[in-house]
Amino acid sequence: MPTLRHLTLTLLLSVLCTLPLSAQANDATWQALEEGGLVILMRHSLAPGIGDPPGFERGRCETQRNLSAAGRAQAEAAGRAFRERDIPIAAVYSSSWCRALDTAELMALGPITSTPWLDSFFRGRGDQASITQTAQEQIAAWRGPGNLLLVTHQVNITALIGGGVSSGEMIVVRPTGDSFQVVGRLSINSQ
């Protein structure tokens, strides 16, 4: 059952999602990341389609929906943007799906740890409640130094923040005791 804090966060994020992303808001989010101690929830880069094809097997990329050329360029551009701004990334965690791992690898921001608490639960592939609770706990526990990058899926981010994200989009959050607050959103253009 959602708590009042979760419902308030969901409502706040819904309002924020309807506002245009201004350059000033983008700059404020980058500045907050420079200070460290934040968590970046990133949806994997562009992988056209929905879900995975029949015969999906974790660990076998040829059975999964994978990054397109545009998705690979998007991930590389995101990594470049972090390096150009000298954003400290202390740890990178990823879903074990190939499109998420490839996104994290192409960003080239550090060693990647594959973890089941970032795996997709779309179409019953995992236990939504357990995955979401573990992710919430991991986010709330982050203290830095630096920032934590979590590369995951749209359904996971929606369950955490109550709103959707585009391919390659990032929601930056600040851990607050047993929860977190949204700092801002980032989208990196691959051009």
Side-chain angles (χ1 to χ4, degrees), residues 4-25:
L4 180 58
R5 180 180 292 152
H6 180 77
L7 292 173
T8 302
L9 177 64
T10 301
L11 179 61
L12 176 62
L13 188 61
S14 297
V15 170
L16 288 174
C17 289
T18 63
L19 301 173
L21 180 62
S22 69
Q24 186 176 16

Side-chain angles (χ1 to χ4, degrees), residues 29-103:
T29 303
W30 284 115
Q31 286 177 332
L33 284 167
E34 288 173 3
E35 297 168 15
L38 302 178
V39 178
I40 304 148
L41 295 166
M42 180 179 190
R43 180 180 178 189
H44 60 77
S45 294
L46 185 62
I50 297 173
D52 284 290
F56 164 88
E57 290 182 38
R58 201 178 333 234
R60 291 193 52 220
C61 296
E62 68 274 11
T63 69
Q64 300 179 29
R65 183 165 56 97
N66 292 291
L67 298 182
S68 64
R72 289 188 294 278
Q74 184 182 42
E76 290 170 346
R80 215 172 19 259
F82 276 80
R83 287 187 298 280
E84 287 171 357
R85 290 173 175 83
D86 202 26
I87 302 299
I89 301 296
V92 179
Y93 288 87
S94 174
S95 156
S96 62
W97 269 238
C98 294
R99 57 187 171 270
L101 286 166
D102 290 347
T103 297

Side-chain angles (χ1 to χ4, degrees), residues 99-173:
R99 57 187 171 270
L101 286 166
D102 290 347
T103 297
E105 183 177 308
L106 289 164
M107 289 178 75
L109 296 174
I112 302 157
T113 302
S114 175
T115 182
W117 51 269
L118 292 173
D119 285 351
S120 178
F121 47 79
F122 186 68
R123 293 187 180 151
R125 292 224 188 263
D127 180 350
Q128 177 180 350
S130 174
I131 290 170
T132 302
Q133 179 179 345
T134 303
Q136 288 171 329
E137 291 166 358
Q138 294 293 324
I139 292 166
W142 181 253
R143 297 293 177 262
N147 301 295
L148 174 62
L149 173 61
L150 305 177
V151 183
T152 188
H153 306 267
Q154 182 271 326
V155 293
N156 300 63
I157 295 172
T158 297
L160 288 164
I161 65 165
V165 291
S166 301
S167 295
E169 188 174 12
M170 295 167 267
I171 306 297
V172 179
V173 300

